[in-house]
Amino acid sequence: MITIDIAKKEDAREIRVVLEASFPTHTEADLVDAIIASEYYVSELALVARDNDEIVGYSLLSECFLEDERILVLAPVAVKPAWQNRGVGSQLIEAGISKAKRTEYRCISVLGHAEYYPRFGFEKASQYGIKAPFDVPDENFLVYRIADRLSEGTVRYPASFDGV
């Protein structure tokens, strides 16, 4: 049975194992290290999926900006290959959204698969006048509304995202 918990400092090595197993390069693992070292890390929104004592998945919501307003960005979501397609990623995303709803943030942005994220309530950012900071297909840049009204503008990522 999978449990979802807030990541602890002592989970760092196992989280890196999950990230490196889930992505072909170390980019996501390095991104997580950079976010954790930044002021934009929100520790209660870093989640691990556990099977008993083994960490099998990880998700991170951290701060980015919509113009001058701080919002959340979902990146990355990672699940060990042996655990993929078993609902672990979905559990992590749902738990992250649930926790984010108890914060002051107005929305969550994600750059992701157009067929996957809408099942959680993500919608095209463009329909709210929200733009990505780079060229990306409209259907892949999405937001999850926490507040009823969202600001318009361009999302800006902190320096920890540079080079990713």
Side-chain angles (χ1 to χ4, degrees):
M1 180 165 136
I2 298 296
T3 58
I4 306 297
D5 300 310
I6 295 173
K8 300 176 185 82
K9 285 184 181 185
E10 56 267 23
D11 295 330
R13 186 186 56 73
E14 275 191 87
I15 289 168
R16 188 159 186 101
V17 168
V18 169
L19 292 164
E20 290 176 354
S22 302
F23 297 101
T25 68
H26 291 228
T27 304
E28 283 78 8
D30 293 343
L31 170 63
V32 168
D33 288 345
I35 292 170
I36 289 171
S38 79
E39 67 183 275
Y40 305 104
Y41 178 62
V42 184
S43 61
E44 64 270 18
L45 298 177
L47 304 175
V48 292
R50 294 183 197 277
D51 175 46
N52 295 312
D53 291 333
E54 178 189 6
I55 294 176
V56 299
Y58 177 73
S59 70
L60 179 60
L61 287 166
S62 62
E63 291 182 336
C64 67
F65 299 90
L66 177 55
E67 296 300 327
D68 292 329
E69 177 185 356
R70 287 185 188 220
I71 65 168
L72 295 170
V73 56
L74 174 58
V77 176
V79 178
K80 281 184 175 178
W83 286 88
Q84 291 176 2
N85 301 309
R86 294 167 70 178
V88 175
S90 294
Q91 289 179 53
L92 284 163
I93 293 167
E94 289 167 354
I97 289 170
S98 178
K99 287 184 177 300
K101 286 179 176 179
R102 294 183 291 240
T103 68
E104 298 297 317
Y105 299 102
R106 297 166 49 86
C107 70
I108 302 167
S109 66
V110 70
L111 174 60
H113 296 285
E115 297 82 37
Y116 184 70
Y117 287 97
R119 73 178 78 170
F120 305 103
F122 283 88
E123 304 170 278
K124 287 182 189 176
S126 62
Q127 70 188 41
Y128 297 102
I130 299 172
K131 300 177 204 112
F134 41 74
D135 286 336
V136 60
D138 189 49
E139 64 270 9
N140 297 114
F141 192 65
L142 309 163
V143 294
Y144 181 96
R145 289 185 311 125
I146 297 171
D148 289 336
R149 305 188 101 205
L150 300 179
S151 302
E152 294 185 1
T154 302
V155 169
R156 183 171 43 88
Y157 298 108
S160 50
F161 280 78
D162 290 351
V164 180

